[in-house]
Amino acid sequence: MAKKTMTASVEEMTDGQIDTLVDGLRAAARKHRTEIPRDVGQEALGTPHLGMMMWAVYRKLVEELSKRIVHLVTVDRARSPLDALKACGRKLYVTESVASTMPRGTGDKAKLVYFKPGPECYNNGVISCAKLDAEYKKHGLVPDPQAQIDDNTANPEFADETPNACQWVDKGNYCCATFNRWGGGRYVNVYRFDGDWLDGWSFAGVPQASSTSVL
């Protein structure tokens, strides 16, 4: 199962990208112009370094995206998630009834994106399932556990340095799959979980439009 890691480009932003950024701001301003009184809007335009303030928002988003790890994964969709787990070569701590609720992706290729929520998402080093759900939405990702299983199967060492997990909801209950190394052994957990996640975990999903999306 082939995997390709995508890394951020070191080339600088293009003029075309700058134009797109400015066009987006212009379109948003025109769409919401009725929400801004003219006099106050003019006063706000006189704020020192206003451009840098808006640039900081965009730069923070870019920094978050640059920390993501993207794997292009070949997925065996002919197997059930449980069969994929049994073949992954890890010690299994799996609740089979929960494994059966895993979301099923489509296609034999998937762009699997690993991300870590920003520091502001954590409270005393933990993030709730609800906040993590919001982070998935912010990144435009949905879980594809089968792609993640196959990725960790093909690259078992990845979770040694990057413990990774995914989360989904079944009938109102949060469920998860986690891949890690502990006590010299590699393992995978699948179970219902409604607690808090520690900040050492990375989370994975595929672009929401389709699990077959490829760069």
Side-chain angles (χ1 to χ4, degrees):
M1 298 176 186
K3 177 268 291 183
K4 183 178 180 182
T5 299
M6 309 302 292
T7 56
S9 171
V10 295
E11 297 180 1
E12 67 182 18
M13 191 177 186
T14 68
D15 287 342
Q17 290 172 324
I18 293 171
D19 289 342
T20 299
L21 174 62
V22 175
D23 288 345
L25 176 60
R26 183 182 295 109
R30 286 175 173 163
K31 180 178 180 180
H32 297 281
R33 67 198 306 167
T34 58
E35 302 169 14
I36 304 296
R38 180 185 300 180
D39 292 347
V40 180
Q42 184 61 41
E43 183 179 354
L45 289 174
T47 302
H49 312 298
L50 177 61
M52 288 303 300
M53 292 167 62
M54 293 187 289
W55 174 258
V57 175
Y58 176 71
R59 182 167 183 170
K60 181 180 179 182
L61 176 60
V62 170
E63 289 174 349
E64 288 182 3
L65 294 177
S66 69
K67 295 175 183 177
R68 302 188 308 180
I69 299 171
V70 180
H71 289 178
L72 303 184
V73 186
T74 299
V75 189
D76 183 357
R77 302 286 186 189
R79 299 184 300 188
S80 69
L82 182 58
D83 286 340
L85 285 165
K86 290 178 178 177
C88 75
R90 293 176 173 270
K91 189 172 182 61
L92 304 182
Y93 297 93
V94 174
T95 303
E96 294 192 8
S97 60
V98 176
S100 69
T101 71
M102 285 181 168
R104 299 296 298 271
T106 59
D108 60 1
K109 302 288 183 183
K111 185 175 79 171
L112 192 62
V113 180
Y114 292 90
F115 70 95
K116 294 194 73 170
E120 70 280 359
C121 298
Y122 291 87
N123 183 19
N124 295 322
V126 298
I127 182 174
S128 68
C129 291
K131 283 188 177 180
L132 177 57
D133 201 31
E135 284 295 290
Y136 266 94
K137 291 181 173 64
K138 185 182 83 171
H139 286 271
L141 301 174
V142 293
D144 187 343
Q146 196 162 13
Q148 194 168 349
I149 294 167
D150 284 357
D151 188 36
N152 279 278
T153 300
N155 309 280
E157 71 286 348
F158 175 66
D160 295 352
E161 299 296 331
T162 308
N164 60 90
C166 63
Q167 172 182 282
W168 66 95
V169 178
D170 173 58
K171 298 177 182 178
N173 299 304
Y174 285 107
C175 306
C176 70
T178 67
F179 302 83
N180 203 353
R181 184 183 185 96
W182 185 261
R186 291 169 174 150
Y187 66 86
V188 56
N189 286 311
V190 178
Y191 53 93
R192 296 200 188 282
F193 179 69
D194 61 359
D196 295 325
W197 292 94
L198 296 175
D199 58 8
W201 290 100
S202 292
F203 303 95
V206 296
Q208 190 165 14
S210 172
S211 65
T212 62
S213 178
V214 175
L215 288 175

